[in-house]
Amino acid sequence: MTTQTSDLLAAAAPRTVDVVRGISDDQLDLPTPCSDYLVRDLLNHLFEVVVNFQDLAQRRQVEWAEKPDHLGDGWRDRFEVETDRLITAWSDPSTLEGVSPGMGLPQPVIGGMALLDLTVHGWDLAVATGQPYHPAPEAVAELHALVEQLAPTARKMGVFADPPPTPTPTPAPAPDLTHLLTQTGRIPTWPQTP
């Protein structure tokens, strides 16, 4: 990634934090563009991302198998706090050196994965709960190359779905975001069908 990861995270984070703050308790069981996740599931996953990628910044092993429920009292405030900690964890340039011992990928890719989840899941949660979402343009621009790099393996592992087979109809998000969403297997006009 050509821009410091923490700067990109700092640009992207407030937009996703705003979406998370806008989710009401009665929306937690709504479906999301991630077909395996309801809003509550996706929130818990995103909590895991912002917490675990703090450790990954320091090249520490993380445990993805545990699935704690992060949605107790004050979860919206805690999400913001943990997201701020994520930005701080990646602010030292040395976090981008070397390879992640747990994931076997270059550290810049690991930081990019945190940015990708924060950006794309911000959109997922926004459309699932009827909120506007405007991702950080600089984050979206940086993520295109990362998604292209990760897509073949991510599709084999079921992390990304295949892109929609036909061009999505308008209206859709801005072109850069539309391309990013389709490359991760999303339908930018969700919940409409393509």
Side-chain angles (χ1 to χ4, degrees):
M1 309 202 84
T2 56
T3 305
Q4 178 67 26
T5 298
S6 61
D7 294 340
L8 294 169
L9 289 168
R15 297 156 192 260
T16 300
V17 167
D18 285 349
V19 169
V20 168
R21 286 198 173 280
I23 297 172
S24 61
D25 289 346
D26 63 358
Q27 293 177 314
L28 294 176
D29 292 318
L30 293 176
T32 72
C34 301
S35 59
D36 294 339
Y37 291 123
L38 299 175
V39 168
R40 74 171 61 251
D41 304 321
L42 194 51
L43 282 166
N44 274 309
H45 169 70
L46 197 51
F47 254 108
E48 277 191 274
V49 167
V50 299
V51 170
N52 284 347
F53 277 80
Q54 294 170 38
D55 284 335
L56 289 170
Q58 308 307 317
R59 294 174 203 78
R60 292 192 291 259
Q61 296 278 2
V62 298
E63 182 54 63
W64 292 101
E66 296 176 15
K67 300 292 181 199
D69 184 358
H70 295 280
L71 305 185
D73 290 342
W75 59 268
R76 294 168 187 86
D77 291 335
R78 279 188 293 103
F79 181 78
E80 183 171 10
V81 167
E82 293 297 347
T83 303
D84 287 343
R85 289 179 179 157
L86 175 69
I87 296 164
T88 300
W90 285 93
S91 64
D92 183 342
S94 70
T95 60
L96 299 177
E97 297 170 3
V99 173
S100 169
M103 298 181 79
L105 294 168
Q107 280 293 109
V109 172
I110 301 298
M113 290 168 67
L115 180 66
L116 180 64
D117 271 25
L118 202 60
T119 301
V120 174
H121 289 324
W123 178 84
D124 291 330
L125 290 168
V127 297
T129 58
Q131 298 184 63
Y133 181 68
H134 306 286
E138 59 269 51
V140 173
E142 284 283 335
L143 288 170
H144 286 294
L146 178 69
V147 168
E148 190 172 309
Q149 177 186 349
L150 296 177
T153 302
R155 289 191 186 110
K156 283 181 192 170
M157 296 175 62
V159 177
F160 293 173
D162 288 328
T166 56
T168 53
T170 53
D176 281 349
L177 178 59
T178 297
H179 181 69
L180 183 64
L181 296 172
T182 58
Q183 291 308 300
T184 60
R186 286 162 171 78
I187 298 170
T189 54
W190 189 90
Q192 303 168 3
T193 55

